[in-house]
Amino acid sequence: RDFKQDPTWTPPAPTTRNLPSFEYLVVSKKSLLSLLRKCTNCRTGENHLSFRMEGMAVTCTGECNSCPHKFTWGNSKVLNTSKCSNMERLPKINVDITYGAVITSIGGTKLHQICSLVGISPLSNNTFHRIKKLYVSPAIAETFWKMQGKVIDAYMIPLRFWIRVIINRCYDAVITAQGNGELASEKFRAILLCMTGQHTFDKDPSFKHLKSCSHSAPTVNWIFIPGGIGGRIYNRLVSEVFTDKNIEDIKSASWRLQTSTCESINALAWRYASKDLYFTRPGHEMRTQLTMIHWNYLKHTIADGTRPVVGKKSYNNPTSKRVVWRKVRKSMSHPWREDIKRLIYQVQK
């Protein structure tokens, strides 16, 4: 009717409302068949359908039983590879699901179990590990080394020369204190003063158990912190290493080494490389790199102030046998995960 009234009439442009922002949508097999079965050309015929599954990728070819119309439909585009063929293809959805499983530490076995229980076509173990080896692992390794340089450049360069000395002295403080938490804490505080040239503490009332350093007299070649007390390196060490929390926490470190002094990073490593599972050497290295990327980003966002403290939470500390208050920081968005995803497709290209 509109065309008869106006020969130049054209239908309005189609609109799409409330389209989800997600790249993939889950659809049931029954709903998909109802859409693909009807011929879109003659409107009266029905299509003969043939499906091909490649992990989570679905490809459907159809041919109408009433007209010569044919079509091919897929739920994911196919990425180009150096060995692109009908026998070996790389659907994008398989790369994305492998990336998601690796980066969130779900792993191929749990991913297969979840998909099988829900009724979703899972990736085979061979496909999962091939994609992980060829595309995901190289992207994680590149992100790891880039972040290592970024972290060092950001706030570790002034401290890099002193870290090994501090670690050795911390170890000595815990071992020689033999369970005396107050002595271990004083030995820990004395490390920083010793590095500035102060080796006696008898005039400092806060030192009740330690009066002087136990090492021999400094030689001519002894290196002290440039700038001394109040200098840039000294202030950075105070803010990053010799914090009030570390001074208090070292009292609870076991001198028999029954308790790890790195439990916070071990808790994070447990998520990526569980002790209940066996990993190959390359697989364990990849998961260790993920742990350090995550850990360094947590510390970096605390240092630059992007994750401020928003509250406190109490819990019962079994080591100190008392209620301890833990700082709760602003949740993080993990942008490093998107960096890895972009690198995956650079590796793929």
Side-chain angles (χ1 to χ4, degrees):
R1 184 177 70 249
D2 293 337
F3 184 75
K4 288 181 178 180
Q5 294 176 0
D6 182 7
T8 62
W9 177 87
T10 55
T15 60
T16 303
R17 296 181 179 179
N18 302 323
L19 180 67
S21 59
F22 302 101
E23 185 171 356
Y24 301 105
L25 303 175
V26 179
V27 59
S28 68
K29 182 167 58 178
K30 183 178 180 180
S31 299
L32 183 61
L33 286 174
S34 65
L35 288 174
L36 299 179
R37 182 67 70 182
K38 294 294 183 180
C39 179
T40 58
N41 185 48
C42 64
R43 300 290 183 182
T44 58
E46 292 188 346
N47 296 315
H48 299 290
L49 303 177
S50 176
F51 287 90
R52 175 181 176 178
M53 300 297 300
E54 298 172 291
M56 292 190 171
V58 183
T59 304
C60 176
T61 57
E63 182 177 357
C64 181
N65 61 2
S66 179
C67 70
H69 178 66
K70 298 180 180 180
F71 73 92
T72 300
W73 176 90
N75 70 337
S76 173
K77 70 177 184 179
V78 178
L79 302 174
N80 294 325
T81 62
S82 59
K83 298 180 180 179
C84 187
S85 66
N86 290 332
M87 297 299 295
E88 182 179 355
R89 306 199 310 167
L90 185 64
K92 184 176 182 295
I93 188 173
N94 290 346
V95 178
D96 289 342
I97 201 69
T98 302
Y99 149 79
V102 172
I103 214 72
T104 57
S105 69
I106 292 177
T109 303
K110 289 184 179 179
L111 175 65
H112 194 281
Q113 293 173 350
I114 293 172
C115 292
S116 300
L117 289 173
V118 175
I120 299 174
S121 174
L123 290 174
S124 67
N125 288 332
N126 288 339
T127 300
F128 178 86
H129 290 294
R130 179 170 59 87
I131 294 176
K132 182 182 69 174
K133 177 182 178 180
L134 294 179
Y135 308 113
V136 181
S137 293
I140 291 174
E142 186 171 347
T143 303
F144 171 76
W145 291 114
K146 284 183 177 180
M147 179 165 284
Q148 290 298 97
K150 181 179 179 182
V151 170
I152 291 174
D153 292 340
Y155 57 89
M156 288 301 292
I157 282 182
L159 314 181
R160 186 167 49 184
F161 179 80
W162 310 97
I163 290 300
R164 184 172 182 176
V165 176
I166 294 173
I167 292 175
N168 291 336
R169 296 285 297 274
C170 286
Y171 178 84
D172 177 75
V174 173
I175 296 299
T176 57
Q178 297 189 357
N180 188 334
E182 295 295 334
L183 179 58
S185 179
E186 292 183 10
K187 284 177 172 284
F188 176 66
R189 288 192 294 124
I191 297 173
L192 184 59
L193 298 177
C194 177
M195 293 165 62
T196 60
Q198 181 179 344
H199 305 290
T200 57
F201 321 106
D202 51 349
K203 296 182 180 180
D204 189 339
S206 63
F207 285 86
K208 300 179 180 179
H209 304 276
L210 184 67
K211 299 303 180 181
S212 63
C213 294
S214 57
H215 58 74
S216 58
T219 62
V220 178
N221 298 326
W222 197 283
I223 300 176
F224 299 105
I225 294 179
I229 298 177
R232 185 169 69 98
I233 296 179
Y234 177 90
N235 292 335
R236 184 65 61 86
L237 286 170
V238 171
S239 62
E240 300 291 342
V241 180
F242 296 92
T243 62
D244 293 339
K245 183 177 184 302
N246 289 344
I247 292 173
E248 184 65 26
D249 287 348
I250 201 172
K251 297 178 181 179
S252 303
S254 173
W255 71 279
R256 296 182 183 272
L257 305 182
Q258 296 171 338
T259 304
S260 172
T261 57
C262 302
E263 284 302 329
S264 57
I265 193 171
N266 282 343
L268 188 61
W270 178 276
R271 292 168 51 182
Y272 290 100
S274 173
K275 298 178 182 178
D276 296 333
L277 302 175
Y278 170 79
F279 302 101
T280 61
R281 176 74 183 191
H284 192 272
E285 287 179 354
M286 181 196 69
R287 290 171 176 267
T288 303
Q289 289 175 343
L290 277 175
T291 301
M292 296 314 303
I293 292 172
H294 194 158
W295 173 264
N296 283 337
Y297 187 79
L298 287 173
K299 296 304 177 183
H300 184 66
T301 51
I302 292 175
D304 62 14
T306 55
R307 281 204 313 128
V309 177
V310 295
K312 290 187 177 182
K313 183 179 180 180
S314 62
Y315 68 97
N316 184 34
N317 189 322
T319 303
S320 60
K321 305 295 189 298
R322 58 191 177 92
V323 176
V324 180
W325 289 87
R326 178 173 63 87
K327 295 179 181 179
V328 178
R329 296 187 177 274
K330 180 182 177 181
S331 59
M332 57 187 296
S333 57
H334 300 285
W336 56 271
R337 292 176 174 173
E338 292 298 323
D339 295 338
I340 292 177
K341 188 175 184 179
R342 285 192 293 269
L343 284 172
I344 288 175
Y345 292 107
Q346 291 181 15
V347 172
Q348 179 267 325
K349 290 179 181 179

